[in-house]
Amino acid sequence: VTRILGVLGLLIVLYGVLFESNPAASGARSMSSLANEQGRHGVVTLGAALVIITGGIDLSIGSVVGCSAILFGVLMTDYGVHPYPAA
């Protein structure tokens, strides 16, 4: 329970800082976009969460995602590859 309250408190502080730094961020369109991004990241982390919960922790996921993101960016910027083949 303490952990959940800590995460919720952190989220409230982060949202407060966001709204204070940019008043336009509290608009309906911005909130919808923010919720969509959080949802996408939540879905991506479900697989890793299941691995960790079942006890078969695998920390190589982060390095694979990082390497893939860098390769994706290099293919698009340095070699001019279209985003679909780069992915």
Side-chain angles (χ1 to χ4, degrees), residues 44-78:
V44 169
T45 59
L46 278 177
L50 288 174
V51 169
I52 292 170
I53 289 170
T54 59
I57 189 164
D58 182 11
L59 297 178
S60 67
I61 294 172
S63 61
V64 170
V65 169
C67 184
S68 300
I70 299 248
L71 181 61
F72 180 77
V74 167
L75 285 173
M76 286 181 49
T77 57
D78 292 349

Side-chain angles (χ1 to χ4, degrees), residues 22-45:
N22 186 1
S26 62
R29 186 173 182 172
S30 179
M31 292 298 288
S32 175
S33 176
L34 188 61
N36 283 333
E37 284 297 318
Q38 287 178 340
R40 276 192 209 108
H41 292 301
V43 168
V44 169
T45 59

